């Protein structure tokens, strides 16, 4: 049965051999926001009484907090109920080269076919690949499994060393930490940056990282080479004129060395990263303030309102006014 209210139904698909930690991550993150109704779905170990009673997505924040990640996962909703889900989360599972029961793959195909949003954590992407819904898609997974995924499914574009990849309605992520980022990214898309920040704070996790950030950095790079302090300095001074040379000077590195290390740490060129931070700051102000577009443009370093509108639309796909209408708590003065 569908949800009896306007909340988004999140179905966590407990495939055989599922990692309980990945189930707990999705339940905990989505369960923190009242806009979602979360349950675990599957046909193995299902309690018939639970499956036939109550609302189909009934995991409250308190229940989500107490998912026992050391115990076997027991679904409370059947695969048949998956047809009502708005978001389907496929957690990682052991031995992804082994087959998944056909009924699970069919349920995934049906979910994708009707337009549900699908989030695969870690090796969960193998279930989507086995279901035949990733042909021609760009995806990622934990770095230990990228080669295996590419070998088993050469028709899929496997992206190396990225936290998560979004291709249409399908979002795939690396390991458990990247699964947190993927879930927060969905919340950010649904309810805005400020809400996602609040959820991240509630689960004691950094604000959602960008999809292009690497899963890992070169372990031979010395700790002193970390550019975190420079990135924090940029964010603190986001309204001022930021150039690659200013960032290199702050990091006490040559321009060439700075650019190389910055790309290694963030997965993108310095000024592209700066533009992302400016857009992120602007999103927060559009959501939480009644500042005019001109004032936000100045505060976030875009300079003119025209430049702000151009860059914001390029990065988000919508105009600042449309974004504020969708996510803002107050109207512009």
């Amino acid at each position: 049965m569908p949800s009896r209210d306007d909340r988004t139904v999140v179905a966590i698909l407990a495939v055989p051999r599922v990692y309980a930690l990945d189930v707990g991550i999705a339940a905990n993150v989505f369960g923190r926001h009242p806009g979602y109704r979360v349950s675990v779905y599957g046909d193995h170990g299902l309690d018939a009484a639970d499956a036939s009673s109550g609302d189909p997505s009934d995991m409250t924040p308190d229940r989500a907090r107490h998912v026992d990640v050391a115990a076997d996962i027991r679904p409370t909703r059947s695969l048949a109920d998956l047809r009502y889900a708005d978001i389907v989360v496929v957690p990682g599972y052991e031995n992804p080269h082994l087959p998944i029961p056909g009924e699970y793959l069919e349920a995934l195909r049906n979910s994708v076919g009707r337009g549900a949003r699908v989030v695969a954590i870690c090796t969960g992407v193998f279930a989507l690949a086995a279901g035949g819904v990733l042909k021609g898609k760009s995806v990622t997974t934990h770095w230990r499994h990228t080669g295996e995924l590419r070998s088993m499914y050469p028709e899929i574009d496997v992206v190396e060393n990225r936290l998560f990849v979004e291709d249409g309605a399908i979002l795939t992520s690396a390991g458990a930490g990247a699964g947190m980022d993927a879930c927060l990214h969905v919340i950010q898309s649904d309810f805005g940056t400020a809400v996602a920040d609040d959820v991240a704070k509630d689960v004691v996790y950094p604000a959602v990282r960008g999809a292009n950030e690497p899963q890992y950095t070169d372990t031979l790079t010395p700790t002193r080479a970390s550019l975190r302090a420079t990135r924090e300095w940029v964010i603190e001074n986001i309204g001022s004129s930021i150039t690659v040379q200013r960032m290199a000077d702050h990091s006490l590195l040559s321009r060439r060395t700075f650019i190389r290390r910055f790309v290694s740490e963030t997965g993108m060129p310095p000024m592209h990263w700066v533009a992302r931070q400016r857009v992120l700051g602007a999103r927060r102000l559009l959501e939480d303030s009644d500042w005019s577009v001109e004032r936000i443009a100045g505060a976030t370093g875009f300079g003119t309102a025209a430049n702000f509108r151009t860059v914001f639309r390029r990065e988000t796909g919508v105009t600042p006014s449309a974004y504020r209408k969708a996510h803002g708590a107050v109207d512009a003065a």
Side-chain angles (χ1 to χ4, degrees):
M1 66 183 74
S3 176
R4 292 193 295 266
D5 53 30
D6 293 330
R7 286 187 269 187
T8 298
V9 175
V10 178
I12 304 173
L13 187 62
V15 299
R17 308 185 304 277
V18 70
Y19 289 132
L21 175 61
D22 290 2
V23 174
I25 285 171
N28 196 15
V29 175
F30 285 115
R32 297 281 174 165
H33 193 276
Y36 298 105
R37 300 183 66 83
V38 188
S39 289
V40 179
Y41 292 61
D43 280 347
H44 63 287
L46 183 66
D47 186 325
D50 286 343
S52 61
S53 63
D55 191 87
S57 294
D58 57 0
M59 186 169 288
T60 65
D62 283 340
R63 287 186 62 192
R65 273 192 284 269
H66 291 92
V67 170
D68 185 353
V69 297
D72 290 336
I73 298 299
R74 293 179 58 84
T76 58
R77 299 292 158 191
S78 71
L79 288 179
D81 291 331
L82 202 67
R83 65 186 184 274
Y84 300 121
D86 303 298
I87 298 172
V88 177
V89 180
V90 188
Y93 56 95
E94 290 183 309
N95 301 320
H97 59 280
L98 297 179
I100 292 293
E103 59 268 27
Y104 285 82
L105 302 183
E106 182 65 22
L108 285 174
R109 284 192 288 267
N110 291 338
S111 296
V112 172
R114 62 181 175 77
R117 193 170 192 177
V118 180
V119 180
I121 300 175
C122 193
T123 55
V125 67
F126 282 82
L128 294 176
V133 300
L134 296 182
K135 186 176 181 179
K137 294 284 188 180
S138 294
V139 302
T140 195
T141 188
H142 191 285
W143 60 268
R144 291 185 183 276
H145 298 284
T146 52
E148 181 181 14
L149 181 64
R150 184 178 292 110
S151 176
M152 291 177 63
Y153 303 99
E155 73 279 9
I156 300 172
D157 176 22
V158 181
V159 181
E160 297 275 357
N161 199 20
R162 288 294 177 263
L163 289 181
F164 58 89
V165 170
E166 189 171 28
D167 191 333
I170 296 177
L171 191 155
T172 55
S173 71
M180 296 276 283
D181 289 294
C183 294
L184 288 169
H185 174 76
V186 173
I187 295 175
Q188 184 182 72
S189 300
D190 288 348
F191 296 102
T193 303
V195 171
D197 287 347
D198 287 342
V199 173
K201 183 178 180 181
D202 201 25
V203 297
V204 196
Y205 195 76
V208 59
R209 295 174 289 177
N212 288 330
E213 289 196 32
Q215 298 178 29
Y216 57 87
T217 56
D218 184 358
T219 57
L220 297 180
T221 301
T223 303
R224 62 177 174 81
S226 173
L227 300 175
R228 179 181 295 276
T230 297
R231 297 200 303 271
E232 291 175 350
W233 170 80
V234 169
I235 293 172
E236 291 171 359
N237 296 275
I238 200 67
S240 64
S241 175
I242 303 294
T243 65
V244 173
Q245 190 59 55
R246 286 191 70 190
M247 288 189 282
D249 292 343
H250 184 275
S251 66
L252 303 179
L253 296 171
S254 70
R255 181 187 177 94
R256 179 177 297 181
T257 300
F258 168 77
I259 293 174
R260 184 179 70 251
R261 291 182 178 173
F262 194 94
V263 172
S264 175
E265 287 192 20
T266 67
M268 66 186 72
M271 294 311 297
H272 190 181
W273 181 87
V274 171
R276 290 284 182 89
Q277 300 311 306
R278 284 178 168 152
V279 168
L280 187 60
R283 288 171 67 164
R284 292 189 177 104
L285 289 172
L286 288 168
E287 294 169 20
D288 293 341
S289 78
D290 61 355
W291 288 12
S292 67
V293 169
E294 290 76 12
R295 186 177 180 185
I296 292 175
T300 51
F302 286 103
T304 67
N307 184 53
F308 170 43
R309 291 188 178 96
T310 298
V311 177
F312 191 88
R313 184 163 191 168
R314 183 186 70 207
E315 294 291 329
T316 66
V318 297
T319 64
S321 59
Y323 184 86
R324 170 171 267 161
K325 184 176 181 180
H327 299 292
V330 294
D331 292 330

